[in-house]
Amino acid sequence: MDWQFILNQADNLDSQALWDLLINSLAQAELGIFGLSNWEELLSDHLRAEAAHWAELAKPLRAYGQLEDLHAQVLALAKLRSELMLTPPIEENLLMKTAVVLFAADNQVVYEGVSQSGFELTAQVFKNIAAGEASIAILAEAQGLDLLAFNLGIMQRRTGEQQPVLAELDRLLEQANLAGRQVFDLVIRPDGAGNIRREAALSWPDLIEAMAVGFRTAEKLILSGTDCIIGAELGSGNTTSSACVAAKLLGLKAEEVAGRGAGLSDQALLKKQAVIKDALARTTASQALDILRELGGLDLAALLGLYLGAHVHACPIVLDGLISLAAASLLQSLIPAAANNFLASHLAKERGAHRLAERFSFQAPLRLDLAMGEGAGASFILPLLEQCHLLYRRLPKFEEVDLEPFRDYSQARSQLELIAFPEEFYKSGEVSLVIGGEKSGKSDFTEAEAFALANSIQKPLLYVATLYIGDDEENLTRARRHQSRRAGYGFKNLEIYFDFNSEQLKLPKNHIVLLDSLGNLLANRLYRPVDGDFLISEDPDDLIVAELFEAVMSLARRSAHLFIVADDLARSMPPAAVESKRFIRLHGKLLQAIGREGRANLFELVAGIPTLLKRSEQIN
């Protein structure tokens, strides 16, 4: 892409036209993802595939929480890069080659007293980076990360005659091996960004040159095999400029985004808030590039270019603190799909960081209350992701260890395959009878509804299992799998085979109760195992039906809500070893008795789709 051409147009176009020119140049060059018309669809497919793989591993669902999401993002982007012929597929190590790219530049707003230290700190820390003695240099060496630090405008680092930045950038990228720890002087403004309280931070050429440095560096790294980038920054006054950017993007007041930076007193914090307020009042900028030019800095502009380059080349970006989040928010406001590239690492201490993370959904798994820049905090997430990848590769799947997979009920009410009912539908003391044939989906539907209701009204879950196992090893194994799965979702498991009337009196009150199944309950009442055979009850049929009906209603009265699973015997086989005709007749009578009860809801499941056949007449 010809950045010189864009630079030549910078003073002749407004911000929207300039952005359109930049994006059109990428599209015409078919650079990276712009060479794939369906890249978003491909990435979505990869993300779903990785999430599905995690769900198949023999562990509780979402056992590793946000780390699973971040890991899936990295692998999905790696697959997309592979399709772009940029990098080979990931195998043993998740992140074979990660680069920290740091942009250093001062901000003249420091003259307003918004920082505890002066410009000398930036120059000293940059010198320490070169010597391997700064925080990020130490962490990068320990983790084997490449570290590239660019001086774009450090006031107290004089480098002799200033060279045209784009020409110098081209020379550097052609000659340099961007690996290990290196520092570069690509000075755009020797005195740093302007004093945003009184003037625009950057000119349009300044902004474009800084973006070009970031973009071209990302492109060079990725084409050289880098598979992950950490954007980092260094500069006096940059928490003030970033807080201003955050406030403009989010429409917030100065006191809502201003933090203490490197450590301000209460009085200095009030001064910083006043400076931010004045800076915000000075400009009416509303578009991302205008906001950046008016209120940002060279580090923010370069980070925006770096993140754009990573996005175009499908490379994951690990976010750091406030300045990093501000740059990511600028890009995401311009290209919402760029959110797929961002991996939040930690939530920084600064108020503005919290606001940006909330608005742009940067879900950081680490809450460390850090107040450190340089990309140091971002590096902490990398070993966790590698450990996550180790589990991803080596954990067996449920099918490999003969375990039944966990069901995901957390989104039950939004799953299209489950026509879910609102919490208000289910009343205390009611019965919801769910009927269906074999593999109709009745159990999935009932468990999902019970789980969602219990979570909504904050009631405990109780699963009453009625299948008599006896000496059947296969049934025992199956039952234990079911118990383990249900326990993972918060169901307390109770087994009641015989003497249901007396046993249910021991059940705890005010639970969401799921009884599975009505047929097994009836079979246990009709037939009891004796010496390897079954003793058939000689009690009158009407007595058995009345007894079980009253037991069910009694359980409903003790419950926050009672769900009952029942077989449609026209589509199912009766339980084993039952006298079929009598069982079917009594089962039908029991269903009728419950179905006619005024407090009963009646559902039928066919092919996974529930139909409401009858609504409870109870009014609470």
Side-chain angles (χ1 to χ4, degrees):
M1 191 173 91
D2 190 348
W3 280 93
Q4 185 62 55
F5 174 74
I6 295 172
L7 179 63
N8 293 340
Q9 303 299 315
D11 284 327
N12 303 320
L13 301 172
D14 62 27
S15 61
Q16 186 59 56
L18 193 59
W19 179 254
D20 291 341
L21 175 63
L22 196 159
I23 294 300
N24 289 335
S25 298
L26 293 171
Q28 290 174 8
E30 295 188 347
L31 206 60
I33 60 173
F34 287 92
L36 288 175
S37 60
N38 63 335
W39 73 267
E40 288 188 81
E41 180 182 346
L42 288 172
L43 184 58
S44 294
D45 289 344
H46 295 328
L47 284 168
R48 282 193 293 270
E50 296 307 329
H53 182 92
W54 272 107
E56 292 171 354
L57 299 179
K59 61 170 184 58
L61 284 174
R62 304 279 306 157
Y64 299 102
Q66 290 172 262
L67 289 177
E68 293 184 19
D69 299 331
L70 297 178
H71 180 271
Q73 271 184 270
V74 173
L75 284 189
L77 288 166
K79 289 180 179 179
L80 190 58
R81 285 200 312 283
S82 182
E83 287 160 348
L84 291 167
M85 307 299 289
L86 293 174
T87 53
I90 288 176
E91 294 180 357
E92 183 172 349
N93 293 101
L94 180 66
L95 302 172
M96 292 291 292
K97 188 173 173 62
T98 297
V100 181
V101 183
L102 182 145
F103 300 111
D106 287 313
N107 298 268
Q108 293 179 37
V109 73
V110 169
Y111 289 131
E112 303 291 341
V114 298
S115 177
Q116 185 178 142
S117 58
F119 299 118
E120 68 282 353
L121 180 64
T122 311
Q124 184 59 53
V125 174
F126 196 83
K127 182 178 179 180
N128 292 347
I129 289 173
E133 296 173 350
S135 295
I136 189 56
I138 295 168
L139 292 170
E141 181 180 0
Q143 294 190 44
L145 313 178
D146 296 329
L147 172 58
L148 312 176
F150 293 85
N151 165 27
L152 304 181
I154 301 175
M155 292 189 70
Q156 294 191 6
R157 182 180 172 88
R158 301 301 177 184
T159 59
E161 184 178 353
Q162 187 175 347
Q163 301 296 323
V165 171
L166 292 186
E168 185 67 10
L169 176 63
D170 287 340
R171 184 193 66 78
L172 182 153
L173 294 177
E174 286 178 7
Q175 298 179 4
N177 175 24
L178 301 184
R181 183 180 71 253
Q182 299 188 54
V183 297
F184 306 100
D185 291 301
L186 281 172
V187 180
I188 297 173
R189 288 179 57 146
D191 55 353
N195 183 349
I196 58 176
R197 191 181 197 182
R198 308 176 188 280
E199 62 182 343
L202 306 170
S203 68
W204 283 116
D206 294 337
L207 187 150
I208 294 301
E209 285 186 331
M211 284 188 65
V213 172
F215 186 95
R216 294 288 308 281
T217 301
E219 185 176 46
K220 172 74 172 182
L221 286 169
I222 296 164
L223 295 178
S224 301
T226 295
D227 50 25
C228 182
I229 288 175
I230 295 175
E233 42 65 36
L234 170 66
S236 296
N238 62 5
T239 61
T240 300
S241 60
S242 295
C244 284
V245 168
K248 271 294 182 183
L249 280 175
L250 304 177
L252 298 176
K253 297 178 181 179
E255 56 269 22
E256 295 179 280
V257 295
R260 296 182 185 272
L264 294 178
S265 65
D266 290 345
Q267 184 176 2
L269 177 60
L270 291 174
K271 179 62 179 291
K272 181 176 181 178
Q273 291 174 354
V275 170
I276 292 174
K277 182 179 180 180
D278 290 346
L280 295 175
R282 183 185 55 76
T283 175
T284 59
S286 59
Q287 201 268 352
L289 290 187
D290 284 322
I291 293 172
L292 174 59
R293 188 182 74 83
E294 287 283 349
L295 300 170
L298 291 166
D299 52 352
L300 273 176
L303 283 172
L304 176 62
L306 182 80
Y307 294 163
L308 176 61
H311 168 63
V312 168
H313 294 88
C315 182
I317 303 156
V318 183
L319 299 178
D320 191 41
L322 170 61
I323 293 85
S324 173
L325 294 183
S329 300
L330 286 166
L331 181 59
Q332 197 165 317
S333 67
L334 290 163
I335 307 177
N340 293 305
N341 293 78
F342 295 134
L343 310 179
S345 58
H346 71 98
L347 186 57
K349 190 175 183 178
E350 287 282 322
R351 292 178 186 175
H354 287 249
R355 297 292 190 170
L356 290 170
E358 180 181 359
R359 168 61 180 81
F360 289 95
S361 298
F362 301 130
Q363 302 295 325
L366 302 179
R367 300 290 193 273
L368 304 174
D369 213 19
L370 299 184
M372 180 67 191
E374 304 177 20
S379 71
F380 294 162
I381 199 72
L382 300 180
L384 294 178
L385 287 173
E386 289 295 351
Q387 289 179 297
C388 204
H389 188 57
L390 180 65
L391 296 171
Y392 174 91
R393 289 191 304 109
R394 297 183 58 177
L395 279 174
K397 294 184 177 182
F398 283 105
E399 62 185 24
E400 295 171 342
V401 291
D402 195 28
L403 288 175
E404 184 173 337
F406 286 99
R407 292 193 183 112
D408 185 3
Y409 296 133
S410 61
Q411 301 298 321
R413 294 203 174 277
S414 63
Q415 291 177 359
L416 293 179
E417 65 269 25
L418 295 176
I419 302 178
F421 294 82
E423 291 81 2
E424 304 79 38
F425 183 91
Y426 300 108
K427 307 298 182 182
S428 180
E430 282 184 348
V431 174
S432 287
L433 180 61
V434 183
I435 303 173
E438 288 290 335
K439 303 302 180 183
S440 64
K442 61 183 183 297
S443 293
D444 286 353
F445 170 79
T446 310
E447 290 182 17
E449 288 291 283
F451 181 84
L453 178 60
N455 277 355
S456 175
I457 65 175
Q458 295 299 298
K459 297 293 183 182
L461 281 161
L462 181 66
Y463 201 107
V464 179
T466 58
L467 174 64
Y468 176 65
I469 297 170
D471 297 327
D472 190 321
E473 289 294 329
E474 184 177 344
N475 275 351
L476 178 62
T477 301
R478 184 184 302 114
R480 295 297 176 255
R481 286 205 307 265
H482 290 181
Q483 291 166 2
S484 175
R485 186 197 72 218
R486 291 192 294 261
Y489 289 106
F491 283 100
K492 179 181 179 181
N493 287 282
L494 289 180
E495 299 174 16
I496 301 181
Y497 305 135
F498 311 108
D499 300 321
F500 187 82
N501 275 321
S502 59
E503 287 293 325
Q504 72 153 317
L505 295 178
K506 302 175 184 178
L507 299 180
K509 293 183 178 181
N510 209 29
H511 281 49
I512 303 297
V513 180
L514 196 161
L515 174 65
D516 191 356
S517 71
L518 191 66
N520 289 329
L521 187 65
L522 174 60
N524 295 341
R525 177 62 179 83
L526 283 173
Y527 316 105
R528 292 182 180 242
V530 176
D531 297 331
D533 203 351
F534 287 90
L535 178 64
I536 301 174
S537 174
E538 295 183 359
D539 289 340
D541 291 355
D542 289 345
L543 174 63
I544 293 174
V545 171
E547 182 183 291
L548 291 179
F549 172 75
E550 178 53 34
V552 168
M553 290 299 110
S554 175
L555 181 56
R557 288 191 291 270
R558 297 167 57 87
S559 306
H561 193 88
L562 172 62
F563 291 89
I564 303 175
V565 177
D567 288 310
D568 179 353
L569 295 183
R571 297 185 177 94
S572 304
M573 290 294 293
V578 304
E579 185 187 35
S580 296
K581 287 185 179 181
R582 187 187 185 199
F583 175 84
I584 291 172
R585 183 174 67 253
L586 296 190
H587 190 266
K589 286 186 176 183
L590 187 54
L591 289 177
Q592 288 182 43
I594 296 173
R596 285 196 294 261
E597 165 63 34
R599 290 178 290 135
N601 306 305
L602 180 59
F603 300 93
E604 181 182 26
L605 264 289
V606 177
I609 305 299
T611 301
L612 178 63
L613 301 180
K614 174 182 173 291
R615 177 72 176 95
S616 166
E617 300 167 6
Q618 176 174 315
I619 300 176
N620 281 6

